[in-house]
């Protein structure tokens, strides 16, 4: 028990003595990993009119094809979701919203498409509002996360160096 308490106290003391990473280390880690860990992919901003009837979706598509400016007002009246915001959805990336999401990425800004059958047996007509290009997440948004990750790495490194060297020491004799 005495050895266990000493080991725990030493380990705790070693881990608590590890200094926090400085800003250059955080910046270097961010620069080295931003393309695979801290990158927001391309997204699209879409307005959607979602209805339960294919014939209604087809009729609405005919109307908005002739006058895309009417899309928001028609979404406010007919859409079964997001009617209060004119059918405007949150920006999303590829791989979301099945057929509707796939179609959105194939459109040009301002283009209307539909009707699309959704998995819940509803139908949608969509208007592509904007394409948001992919970009690296700003360092400020991930600084604390990287700092915490580096601190954990430093703590693991000090444990390995300290106890790994001690355990592998040729002068250490166990069990006597």
């Amino acid at each position: 028990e005495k050895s266990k308490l000493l080991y725990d106290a030493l380990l705790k003391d070693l881990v608590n003595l590890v200094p926090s990473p400085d800003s250059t280390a955080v910046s270097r880690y961010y620069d080295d990993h931003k393309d695979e860990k801290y990158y927001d992919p391309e997204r699209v901003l879409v307005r959607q009119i979602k209805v339960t009837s294919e014939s209604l979706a087809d009729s609405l598509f005919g109307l908005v094809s002739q006058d895309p400016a009417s899309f928001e007002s028609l979404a406010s009246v007919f859409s079964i979701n997001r009617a209060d915001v004119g059918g405007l959805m949150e920006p999303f990336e590829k791989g979301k919203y099945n057929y509707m999401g796939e179609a959105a990425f194939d459109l040009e800004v301002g283009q209307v498409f539909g009707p699309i059958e959704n998995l819940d047996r509803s139908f949608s007509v969509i208007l592509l509002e904007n394409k948001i290009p992919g970009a690296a997440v700003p360092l400020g948004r991930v600084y604390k996360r990287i700092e915490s990750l580096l601190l954990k790495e430093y703590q693991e490194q000090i444990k390995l160096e300290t106890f790994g060297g001690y355990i592998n020491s040729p002068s250490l004799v166990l069990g006597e």
Side-chain angles (χ1 to χ4, degrees):
E1 288 300 314
K2 185 175 168 183
S3 296
K4 191 175 183 181
L5 284 172
L6 287 172
Y7 173 82
D8 289 346
L10 177 60
L11 185 61
K12 182 179 177 184
D13 194 41
L14 281 172
V15 167
N16 288 337
L17 288 176
V18 172
S20 293
D22 63 1
S23 60
T24 56
V26 173
S27 294
R28 191 174 334 111
Y29 185 89
Y30 172 78
D31 289 338
D32 291 345
H33 296 91
K34 72 179 168 188
D35 290 337
E36 70 265 2
K37 288 186 175 184
Y38 307 109
Y39 192 82
D40 281 336
E42 178 185 27
R43 295 175 294 151
V44 290
L45 182 63
V46 172
R47 284 194 187 274
Q48 174 189 38
I49 302 174
K50 187 173 184 178
V51 294
T52 56
S53 160
E54 185 175 15
S55 59
L56 178 57
D58 196 40
S59 297
L60 291 168
F61 175 67
L63 290 172
V64 294
S65 293
Q66 293 172 5
D67 182 17
S70 67
F71 197 99
E72 189 174 344
S73 61
L74 289 171
S76 297
V77 174
F78 292 101
S79 189
I80 59 175
N81 68 344
R82 297 184 180 88
D84 57 329
V85 290
L88 189 64
M89 300 175 69
E90 293 291 322
F92 60 90
E93 58 197 54
K94 279 188 179 183
K96 291 201 174 189
Y97 299 113
N98 298 309
Y99 307 120
M100 191 270 298
E102 289 175 26
F105 276 92
D106 291 336
L107 297 177
E108 297 295 323
V109 173
Q111 193 174 1
V112 177
F113 186 79
I116 303 164
E117 185 172 1
N118 300 311
L119 296 177
D120 64 355
R121 305 245 188 272
S122 64
F123 297 87
S124 295
V125 176
I126 61 171
L127 167 72
L128 182 62
E129 286 277 328
N130 194 11
K131 284 192 176 183
I132 304 164
V137 176
L139 176 59
R141 272 188 26 208
V142 293
Y143 188 91
K144 287 291 183 188
R145 191 180 337 158
I146 294 172
E147 186 178 47
S148 175
L149 180 117
L150 288 176
L151 182 61
K152 285 182 182 180
E153 283 182 9
Y154 294 169
Q155 289 171 340
E156 286 301 316
Q157 183 179 357
I158 197 74
K159 283 190 231 176
L160 287 173
E161 288 174 0
T162 303
F163 293 108
Y166 179 71
I167 297 293
N168 295 325
S169 172
S171 62
L172 177 68
V173 178
L174 297 173
E176 285 191 4

